[in-house]
Amino acid sequence: MKRFLKIYLDKPELAGLALLFVLVLVFQAKSNGILLSFENMRGVMGLLPEMALVAIGVTLLMICGEFDLSVGSVFALMPMSMAVLLNSGVPFPVAVLLGLMICGAIGFINGYVTLQFSIPSFITTLGMLFIARSLTIVISGGFPPLLPPDLPTWLFTDYIWQGSPFRMSFLWFVVIAALVAALLSLTNFGNWIRATGGFNEAAASMGIPVKRVKIVCFMLCSVLAGFAGLLQVLRLGSPLPSIGEGLELQAVAAAVIGGTALAGGIGTVFGAIIGTLLIRTIDNGLVLSRVDANWFKFAIGVLTMFAVIANAWMGKMSRKIKVEAHK
């Protein structure tokens, strides 16, 4: 038991990985082998980067001890801003850069207001959720703008090679996920993030600039959400003011299911990806198994509650073992 507990505490995402394996087997059988078919996996992998990048950003921020409920609105605001700029004659690279800068500014505002006025990030980003969504609708003028036809969308939406199950967006996702994972695991800043989320007062007393660390994480979270929105809009061909609604809750669920602690300090990029794959597998598996799609949110809710309960129980058991070891 102690050995299992140690493995879980070191790698909390392994529980999600085991559950993913079980669900894949179940839905593969229920769907008569369609789930793992090439065409179905091609569709799933085409959508994965868009949600996974948001989940990675939310996970990074949760490790730092904060939340961001505005990512779904930022997901829509960035490509809408880009589309308006493109239709005003701004070159594509500049429009993308300015759109991402807007996302970074939103993240900065979220972090600054939260820390400067000691407001829970849940409340700050809830307000930003409505602000960013309203701005998206206002700048759209009520009608989704069309993207210019000569954009280099192949760089984001085309398949990597003919017959490949992966789009270029998947390559972007892999590179970004690897960079964020390296940031968390191989740099001093990654250690600062974990220390800030797990032991905020101790981190401050050690000289770690906790406010600066949190603001940077807020900004990274918003930028990743905006870039994910860019990927979806380039795939769909037109920005819609309504995209990303409810995405923030799925991203939080993916992070928690992947082993990220609500209290901060614990979590991995791999866990966020596993959580996202679980959600996408449930969504896809229910459809292929001809189960009422209204059960999707029910399943995600149960998984999230189970993950939180499991994390709390494991934490309690860990503290108990430590106390016994010191007796």
Side-chain angles (χ1 to χ4, degrees), residues 21-37 40 281-292:
F21 180 74
V22 172
L23 286 177
V24 167
L25 291 179
V26 171
F27 285 129
Q28 176 71 355
K30 290 284 187 180
S31 65
N32 296 320
I34 299 176
L35 181 72
L36 295 179
S37 66
N40 187 61
T281 298
I282 292 172
D283 188 15
N284 185 244
L286 289 176
V287 172
L288 294 178
S289 303
R290 298 182 181 180
V291 177
D292 189 343

Side-chain angles (χ1 to χ4, degrees), residues 208-230:
I208 295 175
V210 293
K211 288 187 176 181
R212 195 183 310 164
V213 169
K214 289 194 175 188
I215 287 177
V216 170
C217 288
F218 270 108
M219 293 176 69
L220 287 173
C221 182
S222 289
V223 169
L224 287 176
F227 187 75
L230 166 70

Side-chain angles (χ1 to χ4, degrees), residues 249-264:
L249 299 182
Q250 289 191 34
V252 171
V256 173
I257 293 168
T260 304
L262 292 173

Side-chain angles (χ1 to χ4, degrees), residues 119-179:
I119 301 173
S121 55
F122 176 89
I123 300 300
T124 306
T125 57
L126 179 63
M128 186 58 74
L129 179 154
F130 294 111
I131 293 171
R133 183 66 65 179
S134 179
L135 286 174
T136 304
I137 297 171
V138 169
I139 65 175
S140 72
F143 299 95
L146 296 176
L147 296 177
D150 56 346
L151 297 181
T153 55
W154 61 269
L155 189 58
F156 302 92
T157 60
D158 282 8
Y159 288 100
I160 298 176
W161 65 84
Q162 189 174 6
S164 167
F166 304 113
R167 294 178 182 268
M168 288 296 294
S169 59
F170 189 84
L171 189 59
W172 283 96
F173 154 65
V174 170
V175 171
I176 292 173
L179 290 174

